[in-house]
Amino acid sequence: MPEHFEQRFGEVLKSYGAGTLGDQRHLLRSLKAPEVANLLEATPPKVRRYIWALIDDDDAGQVLQHLGDDVLSEIVEGMDTAQLAAAADDLDVDDQADLLQQLPDAIAAQVLSSMDSAARRRVESVLSYAQDSAGGLMDMDVVTVHPRHALEIVLRYLRLRKALPKNTDALIVVNSRNEYVGTLPLSRILTSDSSVTVREVMEADSRAIPVDMPDREVAAIFSEEDLVSAPVLDHERRLLGRITIDDVVDVIAEDADEAVLARAGLDPDEDTFAPVMKSARRRAIWLGINLITAFLAAAVINVFEATISKVVALAVLLPIVASMGGIAGTQTLTLMIRGIVLGHVNRANLLWLVNREFAVALLNGLLWASLVALAALLAFQDPLLGLVIAAALVINLVVAVVSGSLLPSILNRLSIDPAIAGGVILTTITDVTGFFVFLGLAAWAYA
């Protein structure tokens, strides 16, 4: 949290219930829209409603688009259609579409119907594409020029406009059929002879984005090629709009939140100050899934109850086998998910990566199995027990990393997010395999 925001945050909270409304509104005006949204999400519901009432109507739309789904729903409940329409009217088309997608369907339909026909058509055009696609990200506010025009005419046209869409680093060159030809960087307009044509100085090989490209792939392209903006095309290479870096940064931030929170069964848009019952219901599902996996592991242990009662030291060493497998598998799973997101992992190199992870697991398994076997020998004076746990550790580590290598690709093909399901499945595999192998080897060795 930036220092100036933290200071303002404290001042706003201190002013709650004290001071004049004018002073409190002045404090809020000193914050940017994302900071006000952060402030709303960082306060309990009662204070949140008080702060929202102090926000100027002209700033409401900018604040709303930065709120998570839970907090947005709470704020929207207190707004009528006219207020929502006015708030959306101040946003760019892509931001209007993002906001409407976060609203309940009935409310979104009312807001759409209250817009003028031209604005409604533009927003509906963006809404017709999946939210997690290039079409869902694009802004239709673009500046186009034709290749035959001289730069002098382009400069005159830009001066008449007086303002350019945000994050405009280049104009988009199209032909008479609105088909994409290339881009004209603003730097070239300023540094080239004004008598030359657009065709002579444009970049014909600039990156263009297909409208149905997933947003993660769009983010990867922007990252790899250091793009500020890129045109979005349909299947016939006609220009539909453009994507800008600010929207791509939002995608990257959302993906990072999902990757971290999904493993714990949490929604990235969940309100930190959500009511107890609402939070309890959401988390109960994840806890229930975890309980099922725990029962599976317990069932395996129960099968070998006689062996454990015969060699009590097995119960002491069980957590070591499961923990080592879990950590090794999680390392590989995280690496593979990251590789898939970045486009580094595909069918062509998956087998090579699995073999590499197998070799890494084998080396680490032999190293740590030797140390654990020595520790077991010293602690329990039982060489056979040391051999059993060493073998179990090596087997479980190998199974864990192979599973961690293959799970993301398998889950992707099944249209299941590996960041959400991968951890649960992997934990089940490592626990059940670790317990079964360790106790099974012990039952055989001490028979």
Side-chain angles (χ1 to χ4, degrees), residues 362-382:
L362 192 59
L363 288 174
N364 272 325
L366 292 172
L367 170 63
W368 295 109
S370 301
L371 292 175
V372 172
L374 180 60
L377 175 62
L378 294 175
F380 300 104
Q381 302 298 311
D382 187 346

Side-chain angles (χ1 to χ4, degrees), residues 89-294:
D89 188 54
D90 294 329
L91 302 177
D92 295 332
V93 173
D94 58 331
D95 293 330
Q96 288 177 333
D98 288 342
L99 177 60
L100 290 174
Q101 286 170 329
Q102 291 177 284
L103 299 177
D105 291 343
I107 297 177
Q110 291 175 11
V111 174
L112 266 176
S113 63
S114 67
M115 294 179 175
D116 63 71
S117 58
R120 184 166 59 251
R121 282 196 301 272
R122 288 197 300 270
V123 175
E124 286 176 340
S125 177
V126 176
L127 289 173
S128 66
Y129 301 104
Q131 188 175 4
D132 58 353
S133 70
L137 287 178
M138 72 177 179
D139 181 3
M140 302 179 73
D141 188 8
V142 297
V143 181
T144 61
V145 293
H146 292 295
R148 67 178 183 276
H149 289 155
L151 292 189
E152 183 180 2
I153 296 175
V154 174
L155 279 167
R156 195 180 307 151
Y157 168 64
L158 293 179
R159 291 190 187 104
L160 288 173
R161 284 184 59 98
K162 295 183 180 179
L164 292 175
K166 63 181 181 180
N167 294 316
T168 297
D169 62 322
L171 309 184
I172 302 176
V173 185
V174 296
N175 61 23
S176 57
R177 295 184 297 277
N178 200 40
E179 294 170 342
Y180 174 69
V181 178
T183 60
L184 178 61
L186 296 181
S187 58
R188 294 196 180 181
I189 299 176
L190 297 173
T191 58
S192 301
D193 187 336
S194 61
S195 64
V196 302
T197 64
V198 170
R199 187 183 302 279
E200 293 177 80
V201 293
M202 73 178 190
E203 294 183 352
D205 57 350
S206 295
R207 167 70 78 166
I209 307 294
V211 69
D212 55 359
M213 177 180 283
D215 58 3
R216 287 184 176 180
E217 292 183 26
V218 174
I221 289 172
F222 268 69
S223 176
E224 291 167 4
E225 303 187 18
D226 294 326
L227 300 179
V228 174
S229 68
V232 179
L233 312 180
D234 65 14
H235 297 295
E236 297 177 355
R237 293 189 63 79
R238 286 192 297 260
L239 179 68
L240 298 174
R242 69 182 185 125
I243 294 174
T244 53
I245 186 63
D246 56 327
D247 295 314
V248 173
V249 170
D250 290 341
V251 171
I252 294 171
E254 288 169 8
D255 285 348
D257 282 346
E258 288 177 5
V260 173
L261 297 177
R263 294 181 189 175
L266 298 176
D267 186 341
D269 290 315
E270 183 175 346
D271 181 8
T272 305
F273 298 92
V276 172
M277 289 304 296
K278 187 175 184 179
S279 295
R281 282 196 303 271
R282 285 179 169 176
R283 299 184 193 183
I285 297 172
W286 190 259
L287 290 171
I289 294 172
N290 185 70
L291 183 61
I292 294 172
T293 66

Side-chain angles (χ1 to χ4, degrees), residues 332-346 353:
T332 303
L333 181 71
T334 303
L335 185 68
M336 296 297 287
I337 291 175
R338 176 180 178 272
I340 289 174
V341 171
L342 295 176
H344 297 168
V345 177
N346 51 56
L353 288 168

Side-chain angles (χ1 to χ4, degrees), residues 313-328 368-369 371-373 375-376 379-380 389-390 392-394 396-397 430-431 434-435 438:
L314 295 173
V316 178
L317 298 174
L318 269 176
I320 297 175
V321 179
S323 176
M324 291 294 286
I327 292 173
W368 295 109
L371 292 175
V372 172
F380 300 104
I389 193 170
L393 270 176
V394 172
N396 199 28
L397 256 68
T430 55
D431 284 357
F435 294 156
F438 182 42

